[in-house]
Amino acid sequence: MVASKTVNETKEKLSDLGQEHVFNFYSKLSEAEQKTFLEQVQSIDLNELKTQVDRLVLGNEKEADFNWDALKPADYISLPENGGDSALWEKAKSLGESVIKEGRVAAFTVAGGQGTRLGYDGPKGTFVVTPLSQKSLFEVFANKITRASERYGVAIPWFIMTSAINHKTTIEAFEANNYFGMPKESLFFFSQALFPAVDLNGKILLEEKGKVVMTPNGHGGSLRALVDSGATEKMRKEGIDVLSYFQVDNPLVSCIDPAFIGFHVLNQSELSSKMIPKAYPLEKVGIFCQYEGNNLVVEYSDMPKAMQELLDENGEIVFRSGSVAIHLFDRDFIERVGSASSADKLPYHKAVKKIPFINGSGEYKSPKELNGVKFEMFVFDALSKANNTVIIEGLRNDNFSPVKNADGIDSPKSCQKDQLNQAIRWLNAADVELDISPEGNKTKDFSFEINYRFAMDEEDFINQWNNLKNKPTIELGTIIE
Ligand code: UTP
């Protein structure tokens, strides 16, 4: 039985914060339910919740003024084909390769999100993305990491962040698929923290009579989770100091990119990012900017439209550097920003959502209108806290085609088209003439695939293809592996 002192203290604390309704159904719960409920409530940082509710829901705290006139586009290192220094890119690539071979690099996927837009039931990483071989996102990344390990003669570890909503099912998916061919000891799964959701008046929402609605605290929660889970400690023990960060929904990402790693190490950067030029001025991606001497990402929804549309004298978009959630983190930096006592904590943002809840009469409601607020930290907010940050340009088709929505932009269909275009491009780069072009109509019904276990990037593909004794004919249904 739960000591009444504990119950009263918890109740009192909630009452002081105007959240006493959380206990409305307490007396109706079984003893076991009461225990679980109290454990959940006690695990919540109620002071932090109050701060965020005051700041983001009730608007009691004035946000610092932002001087838009002082915002500049961030500097970045252009690709050689866009005017960058090819000797410097070669130097970076060769340094990156040495760093990988020394075992200093690990891959890191954030996979703790809810994936509501896609509307897929299950961990998003188990969603099938390849057109022919029907591989899941997790399998695609495992293939790329395995190929990189083989290429550089080192077992590259893979850290995967889940959340309570999908931790168990994620691990089950790996077990059921023999870890997608990766050594079990190279994988490290850990969960991020959850944070309570509130209604539009800042009141904690209940999911059941004895359960608060808790949602993952954003991909920015990864820094703290990496420290709390022991991941950074493991990295230290294994001599890993570069963490290659990518999101679970982007199968085009180059999980291990030698040139990117080289630039990061060359500049002693604590946090490096890849940009891709925006496809059009109002593309819905964050924008790398410079403000008061620091690089940072400004959300497209925050930047005035006129600024997003601003063109320079060559007709190019001024604020062109799109953020595609591809970063490299220095381990010591993660420990600095992610530790519990850090003075450099990432800020919370709010997301107004439709959140199912239990109303005051104990009835379950699935709202049709926006009714609640989720609190999330964004990993790119770490950029302004890092030293020597580097931003390099990436080719869109070798880096970014996320699966966010069920249809339309950033959907499974658009991603499959981008995978095909990449395969066509890689073959063309290996001097294979195809009767199709990425833009051609024939690609409409045509499909073939390159297994990323065969080649992890274009350069690798050219070498692998040239060394292939029995080259397959590229026709409908061919899988190069
Ligand atoms: P999104 O911002 O696309 O969110 O996440 P989501 O939860 O996956 O999808 P929606 O918005 O509900 O449709 C981008 C990446 O960040 C991870 C996701 O798993 C994805 O890889 N993420 C997001 C986390 O790991 N934790 C979070 O709390 C939120």
Side-chain angles (χ1 to χ4, degrees):
M1 184 156 137
V2 186
S4 56
K5 183 163 176 273
T6 316
V7 179
N8 290 338
E9 277 173 8
T10 313
K11 252 187 187 171
E12 223 166 87
K13 173 88 186 163
L14 282 163
S15 181
D16 289 347
L17 300 174
Q19 304 282 7
E20 58 277 9
H21 65 285
V22 171
F23 264 82
N24 273 357
F25 307 104
Y26 184 76
S27 59
K28 307 218 166 63
L29 303 178
S30 71
E31 216 171 278
E33 287 167 341
Q34 287 183 339
K35 188 166 173 283
T36 319
F37 172 67
L38 272 173
E39 275 167 9
Q40 190 200 32
V41 174
Q42 284 172 338
S43 74
I44 298 171
D45 184 342
L46 289 168
N47 295 330
E48 180 69 43
L49 177 68
K50 179 173 173 4
T51 306
Q52 300 313 330
V53 167
D54 283 351
R55 192 168 77 87
L56 297 169
V57 185
L58 305 177
N60 289 342
E61 196 182 295
K62 197 171 169 291
E63 292 289 324
D65 285 335
F66 192 82
N67 177 8
W68 288 101
D69 292 337
L71 193 71
K72 296 193 190 70
D75 292 331
Y76 65 90
I77 300 169
S78 301
L79 282 166
E81 55 263 47
N82 293 334
D85 176 347
S86 44
L88 186 61
W89 276 82
E90 273 307 313
K91 184 177 166 190
K93 187 174 75 129
S94 140
L95 174 62
E97 287 178 336
S98 316
V99 171
I100 301 166
K101 284 180 191 158
E102 285 163 22
R104 289 172 54 190
V105 181
F108 175 40
T109 307
V110 286
Q114 292 175 297
T116 38
R117 280 171 289 173
L118 186 61
Y120 167 70
D121 192 20
K124 204 169 179 180
T126 62
F127 186 78
V128 167
V129 280
T130 62
L132 298 171
S133 58
Q134 297 286 295
K135 287 181 182 159
S136 66
L137 286 153
F138 281 140
E139 185 164 7
V140 166
F141 301 133
N143 286 166
K144 290 187 181 191
I145 297 165
T146 304
R147 173 61 195 149
S149 298
E150 182 178 69
R151 190 175 176 196
Y152 296 112
V154 61
I156 298 173
W158 186 13
F159 291 84
I160 297 166
M161 185 179 81
T162 62
S163 66
I165 55 166
N166 61 21
H167 187 73
K168 199 164 156 275
T169 41
T170 298
I171 292 178
E172 281 166 3
F174 273 80
E175 283 169 355
N177 290 283
N178 200 17
Y179 302 97
F180 301 110
M182 283 191 68
K184 190 179 170 197
E185 58 280 8
S186 291
L187 297 162
F188 186 88
F189 299 91
F190 61 97
S191 260
Q192 67 181 113
L194 303 174
F195 203 72
V198 299
D199 69 14
L200 301 177
N201 297 314
K203 302 286 182 197
I204 294 176
L205 287 168
L206 291 178
E207 181 179 328
E208 292 168 18
K209 289 180 181 167
K211 196 172 179 192
V212 167
V213 179
M214 301 285 283
T215 57
N217 64 352
H219 39 64
S222 59
L223 299 181
R224 178 77 189 270
L226 279 160
V227 177
D228 287 354
S229 65
T232 44
E233 189 50 38
K234 185 175 157 66
M235 287 172 68
R236 182 178 296 284
K237 281 202 190 109
E238 295 178 8
I240 297 161
D241 60 353
V242 181
L243 198 62
S244 179
Y245 171 106
F246 51 91
Q247 303 193 331
V248 76
D249 50 25
N250 180 22
L252 250 67
V253 68
S254 176
C255 301
I256 302 292
D257 180 337
F260 188 27
I261 292 164
F263 279 118
H264 173 80
V265 173
L266 205 56
N267 289 282
Q268 298 185 330
S269 165
E270 288 186 320
L271 171 49
S272 303
S273 302
K274 245 187 220 178
M275 66 72 95
I276 55 167
K278 285 197 289 183
Y280 47 94
L282 297 181
E283 186 177 1
K284 291 182 174 180
V285 287
I287 304 139
F288 288 110
C289 298
Q290 234 181 71
Y291 187 71
E292 295 177 345
N294 290 320
N295 281 332
L296 81 176
V297 173
V298 175
E299 288 187 81
Y300 68 88
S301 48
D302 288 341
M303 184 180 273
K305 190 163 168 264
M307 246 174 138
Q308 295 182 57
E309 291 179 321
L310 204 63
L311 301 181
D312 65 15
E313 62 279 8
N314 302 318
E316 286 206 59
I317 303 167
V318 173
F319 289 93
R320 72 177 76 108
S321 295
S323 167
V324 286
I326 301 174
H327 309 284
L328 294 170
F329 282 91
D330 171 65
R331 184 197 61 226
D332 291 345
F333 174 69
I334 299 171
E335 287 181 334
R336 191 174 85 224
V337 177
S339 73
S341 57
S342 171
D344 262 337
K345 286 206 174 66
L346 301 187
Y348 273 100
H349 300 257
K350 72 169 171 182
V352 182
K353 300 266 176 185
K354 292 176 202 161
I355 305 176
F357 67 107
I358 294 284
N359 71 9
S361 319
E363 296 152 349
Y364 178 81
K365 296 278 166 195
S366 184
K368 301 221 164 27
E369 308 289 327
L370 300 172
N371 69 313
V373 177
K374 273 174 34 169
F375 299 94
E376 291 191 335
M377 288 178 273
F378 297 155
V379 80
F380 52 72
D381 280 331
L383 200 58
S384 61
K385 303 178 188 301
N387 294 313
N388 309 329
T389 56
V390 176
I391 301 172
I392 73 159
E393 182 180 6
L395 198 63
R396 182 180 287 258
N397 191 232
D398 271 342
N399 285 289
F400 189 56
S401 185
V403 178
K404 297 273 185 204
N405 308 305
D407 298 301
I409 295 175
D410 296 342
S411 64
K413 213 166 175 187
S414 63
C415 180
Q416 290 196 353
K417 185 161 180 277
D418 289 337
Q419 290 173 53
L420 177 61
N421 288 344
Q422 183 187 53
I424 294 171
R425 220 167 26 75
W426 287 8
L427 272 161
N428 288 344
D431 287 333
V432 181
E433 289 300 324
L434 293 169
D435 185 23
I436 42 176
S437 72
E439 291 78 29
N441 287 334
K442 277 204 187 167
T443 58
K444 207 161 161 255
D445 303 311
F446 189 83
S447 200
F448 74 97
E449 234 176 83
I450 297 171
N451 183 343
Y452 293 115
R453 177 70 186 78
F454 175 77
M456 58 179 252
D457 58 27
E458 183 181 302
E459 185 196 69
D460 192 26
F461 180 78
I462 297 170
N463 291 332
Q464 290 279 84
W465 179 261
N466 289 337
N467 291 334
L468 201 60
K469 289 216 176 68
N470 299 315
K471 295 188 178 36
T473 310
I474 309 301
E475 53 196 12
L476 178 67
T478 303
I479 300 179
I480 305 172
E481 48 195 348

